[in-house]
Amino acid sequence: MIFDAVSKSCLAFISHVLGMRSLRRHRIATSSLGNVLTGVSVALSVATYAYGATPAALGAAPVPASALPAPIQALVARGVLVGKSFVAEAGLTGWIVTHQGHTGIVYTTADKQHLIVGSLVDATGRDLTPVYAATYVPKPDLASLYKQLHGTRYVMQGAATSKNVIYVFFDPNCVYCHFAWKALQPYVKAGLQVRWVPVGFLKPTSAPRAAAILEAKVPMQALEFNEERFVSATEDGGIIPVSTMKPETLRTLTANRTLMDAFGSNGTPAIVWRDSHGVVQAKSGMPPLSELSAMTGLPEQPETDRDLDRFR
């Protein structure tokens, strides 16, 4: 099945409204706010996923709240940050807004009394929102963020001295992270070093399971246990969640999630690597198997696991 930008946005919106946890090839972080703010959060999550936006800088001095249209003032009152505005099609005004680590675009109508959240599609079927995003939404400084990865608390798998290194943000209950784990094992055997960066947001047991991995005597063995005993039918990791999390572990998981968001990734797995030219790249979701060679910098490895057939 093929999804264009519009259908991805629609599917994401429907998934959030119905309380579904999964989208094709990736897992989405959800929030529990009021209806309007939830809609904005969904739109920003989709914008971040589709366009790689991050709230590094909104690019303009804050507009006084009293000068904003009433619907935008209502968002500001709920903690949404507002940056640039611009003239959009059909008399609309576009606004660069940020909430919970995600930056995107919303629109107000010409009468300034109504807010539009979602894609803006013209008569030809073209989604104008990514066009505006490319011009007005600030892009993440991936090179700077990559340096921050060195200070994260991760679980290292593979050769300690390997020149081929990738980072993977994962939730221990994420089935697509489990697929990424499976897909990367042949590359680990071929010399890849994977730095698994734990986060925990998908289920109530996610953070306690991530803590069980980080607080284990040998975290790598705990991670292997979680993946080897992963229950795909219920999307549950195999490790037993801790009953009480250490404060430093909670701080670690919070910092990891913040950094994941800064990379423009609002779901897991989120993969970060340097390409063959040394340029930092970031990708949300389980990638096609054909992309793993370029991501890892290693020759393509044979894969016979039938669970991964959908990613061939």
Side-chain angles (χ1 to χ4, degrees):
M1 185 179 295
I2 299 175
F3 292 85
D4 58 18
V6 176
S7 56
K8 279 183 180 178
S9 300
C10 293
L11 181 57
F13 181 79
I14 292 170
S15 296
H16 277 272
V17 170
L18 296 181
M20 296 166 60
R21 289 195 179 91
S22 63
L23 258 177
R24 182 176 181 264
R25 291 188 179 176
H26 72 295
R27 294 294 241 157
I28 291 291
T30 60
S31 58
S32 55
L33 299 171
N35 290 340
V36 173
L37 196 55
T38 298
V40 173
S41 296
V42 171
L44 300 191
S45 293
V46 173
T48 302
Y49 170 73
Y51 319 128
T54 187
L58 292 180
V63 179
S66 60
L68 298 171
I72 300 296
Q73 289 187 38
L75 294 183
V76 171
R78 300 295 295 274
V80 175
L81 302 177
V82 178
K84 287 182 178 180
S85 63
F86 59 90
V87 176
E89 296 291 326
L92 301 176
T93 299
W95 299 85
I96 308 302
V97 294
T98 298
H99 187 254
Q100 293 187 341
H102 304 299
T103 297
I105 298 173
V106 298
Y107 304 93
T108 49
T109 53
D111 63 6
K112 299 184 179 181
Q113 298 302 306
H114 299 85
L115 181 73
I116 298 174
V117 178
S119 296
L120 180 62
V121 182
D122 67 15
T124 67
R126 182 179 63 153
D127 184 357
L128 298 176
T129 299
V131 178
Y132 293 139
T135 302
Y136 298 108
V137 176
K139 303 301 186 293
D141 183 354
L142 296 183
S144 177
L145 291 172
Y146 190 84
K147 294 178 182 178
Q148 296 182 40
L149 280 170
H150 300 311
T152 59
R153 189 175 170 192
Y154 52 79
V155 180
M156 189 185 75
Q157 182 187 27
T161 59
S162 176
K163 295 182 180 179
N164 303 86
V165 177
I166 66 171
Y167 290 83
V168 182
F169 291 90
F170 76 99
D171 185 298
N173 287 324
C174 171
V175 69
Y176 291 102
C177 299
H178 179 60
F179 292 144
W181 165 273
K182 285 190 168 189
L184 288 171
Q185 295 315 295
Y187 290 89
V188 170
K189 293 178 181 178
L192 176 68
Q193 181 187 123
V194 184
R195 298 177 179 179
W196 297 93
V197 185
V199 294
F201 62 84
L202 286 176
K203 292 184 175 184
T205 57
S206 289
R209 278 199 166 102
I213 293 170
L214 287 174
E215 295 175 5
K217 290 183 178 179
V218 185
M220 187 59 239
Q221 290 181 4
L223 176 57
E224 288 178 344
F225 185 94
N226 186 77
E227 299 306 322
E228 289 172 358
R229 290 163 178 78
F230 194 94
V231 183
S232 296
T234 59
E235 301 188 14
D236 286 297
I239 198 167
I240 298 174
V242 298
S243 57
T244 303
M245 189 186 310
K246 294 179 181 178
E248 58 267 29
T249 303
L250 176 58
R251 288 192 292 270
T252 291
L253 295 177
T254 301
N256 288 353
R257 172 67 188 278
T258 299
L259 185 56
M260 185 184 83
D261 288 344
F263 271 103
S265 302
N266 65 307
T268 52
I271 305 174
V272 182
W273 74 99
R274 286 188 180 276
D275 65 20
S276 59
H277 302 289
V279 178
V280 179
Q281 305 288 345
K283 184 181 183 70
S284 292
M286 171 63 192
L289 299 183
S290 60
E291 295 181 7
L292 292 180
S293 176
M295 295 171 74
T296 62
L298 292 166
E300 185 170 357
Q301 301 297 307
E303 180 56 73
T304 59
D305 192 325
R306 299 306 300 271
D307 286 346
L308 300 177
D309 283 352
R310 72 183 78 177
F311 306 110
R312 297 187 190 282

